[in-house]
Amino acid sequence: ETGVTQTPRHLVMGMTNKKSLKCEQHLGHNAMYWYKQSAKKPLELMFVYSLEERVENNSVPSRFSPECPNSSHLFLHLHTLQPEDSALYLCASSQAASGRAGGELFFGEGSRLTVL
Amino acid sequence: SQQGEEDPQALSIQEGENATMNCSYKTSINNLQWYRQNSGRGLVHLILIRSNEREKHSGRLRVTLDTSKKSSSLLITASRAADTASYFCAPISLAGNQFYFGTGTSLSVIP
């Protein structure tokens, strides 16, 4: 198994659908992250979890709902999205939820979301 | 803003040439990290330089850091077509501790 696995790799959904993105890490890390990457924009840090507790929520609309049932799994539940939410959603993990500790992020391959 | 800003936005060079990209940031940092992203894939960590370091090497990569100018540069020597990717910096501020990225530098290495 690779370090960080994201499923599905591609997802097409209508604005009224409910879907979920899944991320699993096999590195024994304590922190997990969701990023949104849209064309021509900086990567947007959405949520950070440390030991299953949310430690950062960067003003993300409520139509995105994260869930971290344990330190190895992270979900992003999607509900009534807008076309502008179409993007590449990247999951990452790190040993600690602090860049100051000198750790690095390990990313998954991303889930490409298209909202029709 | 805690994110870095990479410059130039796009860079195209011939195989064998050196590629230099820059990162500017606004806050005092603990360390700065560079990542690479192949098209449509996840980011991969390349190198970390601490605030008390001025230069660091890893294979064909050379990173410099000038904290007085709040800037860093990434040099890739003897570039290869496989180096074609986007490159991002993440300055880790003293005040915060999260990883914020900019829009990256898109590097094209022409065979």
Side-chain angles (χ1 to χ4, degrees), chain A residues 45-77:
Chain A
L45 176 60
M46 301 175 73
F47 303 104
V48 181
Y49 277 82
S50 177
L51 296 171
E52 302 142 48
E53 284 197 27
R54 194 187 311 177
V55 297
E56 190 121 351
N57 176 351
N58 283 320
S59 304
V60 178
S62 59
R63 57 186 184 269
F64 295 92
S65 174
E67 178 190 3
C68 188
N70 55 63
S71 59
S72 298
H73 293 86
L74 184 64
F75 295 88
L76 188 62
H77 303 299

Side-chain angles (χ1 to χ4, degrees), chain A residues 86-111:
Chain A
S86 298
L88 181 67
Y89 288 84
L90 293 164
C91 174
S93 71
S94 64
Q95 181 58 49
S98 171
R100 290 202 299 269
E104 64 189 78
L105 290 180
F106 291 79
F107 282 83
E109 296 287 57
S111 293

Side-chain angles (χ1 to χ4, degrees), chain B residues 18-21 34 60-64 73-78:
Chain B
N18 295 342
T20 299
M21 52 208 86
W34 283 92
R60 293 184 297 113
L61 304 181
R62 188 189 111 186
V63 169
T64 61
S73 66
L74 171 67
L75 169 67
I76 304 174
T77 59

Side-chain angles (χ1 to χ4, degrees), chain A residues 9 33 35 37 40-43 45 48 55-56 58 88 90 97-100 102-105 107-109 112, chain B residues 3 30-31 33 35 37 40-43 45 48 50 88 92-103:
Chain A
R9 293 293 311 279
Y33 308 72
Y35 284 88
Q37 186 176 34
K40 308 293 184 186
K41 292 184 179 179
L43 263 77
L45 176 60
V48 181
V55 297
E56 190 121 351
N58 283 320
L88 181 67
L90 293 164
S98 171
R100 290 202 299 269
E104 64 189 78
L105 290 180
F107 282 83
E109 296 287 57
R112 173 69 63 186
Chain B
Q3 70 194 45
N30 173 279
N31 68 78
Q33 303 183 20
Y35 288 76
Q37 182 184 34
R41 310 291 290 272
L43 280 71
H45 181 264
L48 178 154
R50 300 189 185 282
F88 296 83
I92 308 301
S93 75
L94 290 176
N97 58 12
Q98 291 305 339
F99 298 80
Y100 291 97
F101 299 89
T103 54

